[in-house]
Amino acid sequence: MKAGDLVSVYSDIEGKCKRGAKEFQGVKVFLGNGISALSRSEIFSSSGPLNGMGIRMTEPVYLSPSFDSVLPSHLFLQNLPSVVVSHILNPQPGERILDMCAAPGGKATHLATLMHDQGEVIAMDKIATKVKKIKQNAELLQLNCIKAFCYDGTRALSVEKREDEQEGPPFLPESFDRILLDAPCSGMGQRPNMAYSATLKEVTSYQPLQRKLFTVVLKLLKPGGVLVYSTCTITLSENEEQVAWALKTFPYLQLQPQEPHIGGEGMRGAGLSLDQLKLLQRFDPSAVTLQGMDINSLQDSREDDLISLANKDCIGFFIAKFIKSNSE
């Protein structure tokens, strides 16, 4: 291969292709055709990591343009359900909001924007590099009401009043008006995702962690406050089963309608009633089929149908909204 050659690009799904191999019979997915900007020898004789453009795609399978670094101080790219979840929490100017697992800060910055940067958004994550990213995004978008802290969410509740007047965690009970728990999860709804490498043990480890975090945030929430629980996965155990568990364990919790409600209703199998399932919101990319549709058939579609199709063709995601009644 020389610079300027027409080449086809594939994704090595299992990561088994050897460096410099001249042929590969493993599992792969075609991504499109392009023009090579480098020769084969330039790619493989390099001792350090390559950067810059290797192939200019001329016939990509996926037609979405790249929005990386486009107006970064004005635009923050998010998947549709991630945008919806902040509107469902519906934070108000002057309130104190907790985003429990906030990295990289997309939802936290959206919440602050919805509040007109008035009030306080506490953004927490247990990994320092991720907290640094939250602070960078808040600064880039010129939002001053976000305060980011590196802290383990399972330990965010303080059992006794502290003397130091410190604004960071742990926090006293009933400290927040609204809380977003976008919980750590198995991430099976993420797209594009050519392969999934987590073991069954890893997938099943998330439910107990989510319940620990849920128990903590409930104690941090004021009576009458709103809690939104969300995940970017599609499993019953991390979504509807968690809602059923929460309603049984905490009788002072009430499921609430969601606005906007763009996704489908909850999945059966966790013991929730049909009315309760209608209060949940599940985005399921497998529910929309674009295979076999050509541009002509899309052009003949009604605008409303196209918008509905686009709204459903997103990542897998789950949202539940609760209100904490005044008496526990």
Side-chain angles (χ1 to χ4, degrees), residues 1-9 33-43 53-58:
M1 185 183 76
K2 301 181 181 63
D5 281 355
L6 177 65
V7 296
S8 294
V9 180
N33 298 320
I35 305 294
S36 176
L38 299 170
S39 68
R40 188 176 189 278
S41 60
E42 287 175 312
I43 292 173
M53 182 171 66
I55 295 167
R56 180 173 59 83
M57 299 299 290
T58 54

Side-chain angles (χ1 to χ4, degrees), residues 101 180-186 206 209-210 213 229-232 238:
C101 307
L180 172 60
L181 175 55
D182 187 45
C185 68
S186 56
Y206 287 102
L209 171 60
Q210 291 160 353
L213 291 167
Y229 172 82
S230 64
T231 73
C232 59
E238 296 172 78

Side-chain angles (χ1 to χ4, degrees), residues 29-83:
V29 171
F30 178 63
L31 298 179
N33 298 320
I35 305 294
S36 176
L38 299 170
S39 68
R40 188 176 189 278
S41 60
E42 287 175 312
I43 292 173
F44 291 111
S45 65
S46 171
S47 56
L50 285 173
N51 55 56
M53 182 171 66
I55 295 167
R56 180 173 59 83
M57 299 299 290
T58 54
E59 298 174 299
V61 171
Y62 305 102
L63 300 178
S64 299
S66 171
F67 285 98
D68 284 349
S69 300
V70 175
L71 299 173
S73 61
H74 299 279
L75 299 178
F76 194 101
L77 286 182
Q78 283 189 293
N79 290 296
L80 176 66
S82 301
V83 176

